[in-house]
Amino acid sequence: MDNQFAEQYINLEDTILDDLDFDNLKEVFPRLEKQKELADKSGVWKYRVRSRRMIIKMGYEFDDLERSMGELIWLAGQWEMNKEDSDLEDAMILLERFIEFLPAFPNVAPNDIHQAIEILKEWFATTSRELHYLVWALFKTYSKLGDLTVAEEYKQQLLKLEAVTPFGFKSDHPSCETCLTCKKIHYYASIGLLQKAMEIAEPLLEDDVDPCLTSPRTGLSYLLDAYLDAGKLAEIEILLPTFTQHLDMPTKAPVRIVLPLLRYYIITKNQQEIDKIIDNYNPIIKDLADRWSAQKFLSLVNLEKEINI
């Protein structure tokens, strides 16, 4: 262990998000890479794991998941070789949380994805987490892989689980209740329980929540996407003022609501609103990862030419 590098790592970790300019989020990633380099040079295992966990989490928060996926595969492989290592427990929870995004990136080989699925199953068998977590992760992952037959099997398994023991989210202890609310909306909306998702979303729709960096846009986008998938356009029209007001909220660029709204306006052939969103959010739409449904509908409506992707 090199104490000099360990000390530098600790100092950088303590300050890495200080004075972060949210208009230039890419500044954070060179600092994260430097942090990982110092962790590796220090030889301190927990720092090596922690630096990679940070890259994954920040990649999610700042819509730059592509650079995070290699770290996710690395951490999964480390757990497979060191199953008793307590420092890797949080890393495996990240695998459960983010495995669904692996199919979106061409730099992740299909064999790595399927190996990660098997590692996740193996790890889950050693935990006391609710079965819903694993089945939901697999349902989303196979959906993204395009294996809809297997995805449907996991969805039906979730619905059977819900009928017997509703998902309690017992392993989620976020400091932000709004984030937990958004996760619940995502879960129920993704498996087609729209009424349940809507009931949970009521505080968001009434702005009766404490806002955070990414919420409540995240929850609203899950709800809007689910209604679009179900073809419930009349319900969306009623809720539209609530959805659109979040385009102008401060802090982070509203990526989580832009794409579902654009998809809605395309379906309803509202060219004026389509043009407005494309003019205002062109760079966001171009750079967005597949997890925000970019490829799902851009390919369907052939928008590549219109927004010059």
Side-chain angles (χ1 to χ4, degrees), residues 41-53:
K41 288 180 177 179
S42 77
V44 180
W45 176 245
K46 66 179 180 180
Y47 294 163
R48 296 187 68 198
V49 173
R50 208 155 70 193
S51 65
R52 286 164 170 84
R53 291 204 320 252

Side-chain angles (χ1 to χ4, degrees), residues 18-244:
D18 290 352
D19 303 319
L20 182 61
D21 181 0
F22 284 93
D23 291 327
N24 190 12
L25 294 175
K26 291 183 179 179
E27 287 182 0
V28 74
F29 292 107
R31 298 172 72 184
L32 289 170
E33 290 295 336
K34 179 64 175 178
Q35 178 180 272
K36 184 179 77 169
E37 179 185 339
L38 290 171
D40 289 344
K41 288 180 177 179
S42 77
V44 180
W45 176 245
K46 66 179 180 180
Y47 294 163
R48 296 187 68 198
V49 173
R50 208 155 70 193
S51 65
R52 286 164 170 84
R53 291 204 320 252
M54 177 78 83
I55 289 174
I56 295 168
K57 289 178 179 178
M58 292 302 101
Y60 174 80
E61 293 296 344
F62 300 148
D63 305 316
D64 199 346
L65 269 172
E66 185 165 9
R67 72 178 70 226
S68 306
M69 294 298 98
E71 308 298 352
L72 194 63
I73 293 291
W74 185 87
L75 287 169
Q78 293 302 309
W79 181 85
E80 192 175 28
M81 294 185 292
N82 305 277
K83 294 183 174 65
E84 305 302 319
D85 193 327
S86 59
D87 288 320
L88 289 167
E89 271 303 296
D90 284 347
M92 295 307 294
I93 291 174
L94 290 180
L95 179 64
E96 174 194 282
R97 184 180 175 190
F98 297 128
I99 191 171
E100 65 169 295
F101 305 133
L102 291 176
F105 301 104
N107 62 326
V108 180
N111 286 344
D112 287 339
I113 298 173
H114 289 289
Q115 183 179 10
I117 289 172
E118 294 307 313
I119 292 172
L120 179 62
K121 291 178 181 178
E122 188 178 353
W123 167 76
F124 199 88
T126 70
T127 76
S128 59
R129 294 170 69 77
E130 292 172 278
L131 183 57
H132 303 67
Y133 284 107
L134 174 64
V135 181
W136 189 32
L138 295 175
F139 160 60
K140 291 183 291 182
T141 304
Y142 279 104
S143 295
K144 295 284 181 65
L145 283 168
D147 194 338
L148 301 185
T149 300
V150 176
E152 182 63 24
E153 290 173 1
Y154 282 118
K155 178 181 176 180
Q156 292 304 316
Q157 188 176 343
L158 277 173
L159 292 171
K160 289 177 182 177
L161 279 172
E162 277 297 310
V164 177
T165 308
F167 195 178
F169 301 88
K170 294 175 183 176
S171 295
D172 283 284
H173 304 287
S175 57
C176 175
E177 286 298 320
T178 305
C179 289
L180 180 55
T181 297
C182 291
K183 184 169 186 175
K184 290 179 178 179
I185 293 169
H186 186 194
Y187 171 72
Y188 287 111
S190 69
I191 62 174
L193 299 179
L194 296 184
Q195 185 58 42
K196 180 72 171 178
M198 177 61 85
E199 291 170 5
I200 294 171
E202 282 299 328
L204 273 67
L205 295 169
E206 296 172 4
D207 279 337
D208 187 23
V209 294
D210 293 325
C212 70
L213 179 66
T214 62
S215 303
R217 296 173 192 144
T218 305
L220 293 175
S221 69
Y222 293 143
L223 194 61
L224 183 52
D225 251 336
Y227 273 121
L228 286 167
D229 289 341
K232 295 182 177 293
L233 301 184
E235 287 84 346
I236 294 174
E237 188 173 357
I238 295 171
L239 298 171
L240 204 57
T242 301
F243 286 124
T244 54

Side-chain angles (χ1 to χ4, degrees), residues 241-252:
T242 301
F243 286 124
T244 54
Q245 76 181 29
H246 287 276
L247 283 176
D248 301 318
M249 287 180 64
T251 68
K252 196 169 184 288

